[in-house]
Amino acid sequence: MKFAATARAVAAAGWAYVLVAGWRPRAVEAVEVLAGRRRAMQTPLGCQKVLLAAAQAGPMDLAQLAATTGMPAVARAHLLHLLWHRRLAVDLDDVLGDVSWVLPSGADDDRAAVRAGGAA
């Protein structure tokens, strides 16, 4: 009854209404993996800078991007960290793995716009 009442109210206002009952299982799994790298990480080897610069060249799969650093095992942890903080982007509709396409997210542009007083 509540959903029907909501649908009628938003229709009267001219809005669209969609009921979302839950996340897709793959997206939930990916978010759980990424959340494991949400805390601040030190990067004395400059791994994150290398990953961000390599990602600017265009979409690459996760394994290729990790390999650009010369230390793929370390790079994977930093990749997950950068994905969690939206400095890089990945499609959460697919299984997160070596063949997942990674690309720049535009989040750095958004942060720069906010610092400059613009809208993000």
Side-chain angles (χ1 to χ4, degrees):
M1 234 195 275
K2 292 178 184 178
F3 296 132
T6 302
R8 290 169 100 185
V10 298
W15 299 343
Y17 174 73
V18 176
L19 175 64
V20 177
W23 284 47
R24 293 184 172 143
R26 288 181 180 166
V28 172
E29 292 169 7
V31 169
E32 287 175 353
V33 169
L34 296 176
R37 292 293 175 187
R38 67 184 176 273
R39 294 195 175 36
M41 294 181 71
Q42 294 191 12
T43 179
L45 301 174
C47 188
Q48 291 183 14
K49 289 180 184 178
V50 173
L51 290 167
L52 291 168
Q56 293 300 321
M60 253 185 258
D61 69 37
L62 194 139
Q64 289 174 321
L65 191 53
T68 64
T69 65
M71 45 191 165
V74 173
R76 288 173 190 277
H78 286 280
L79 272 168
L80 296 177
H81 179 78
L82 293 169
L83 287 166
W84 175 262
H85 289 281
R86 296 184 307 177
R87 309 243 352 245
L88 295 174
V90 68
D91 184 1
L92 294 179
D93 240 357
D94 293 326
V95 175
L96 183 61
D98 281 349
V99 296
S100 298
W101 285 98
V102 179
L103 56 149
S105 68
D108 289 332
D109 298 335
D110 294 344
R111 287 186 192 104
V114 169
R115 282 193 295 269

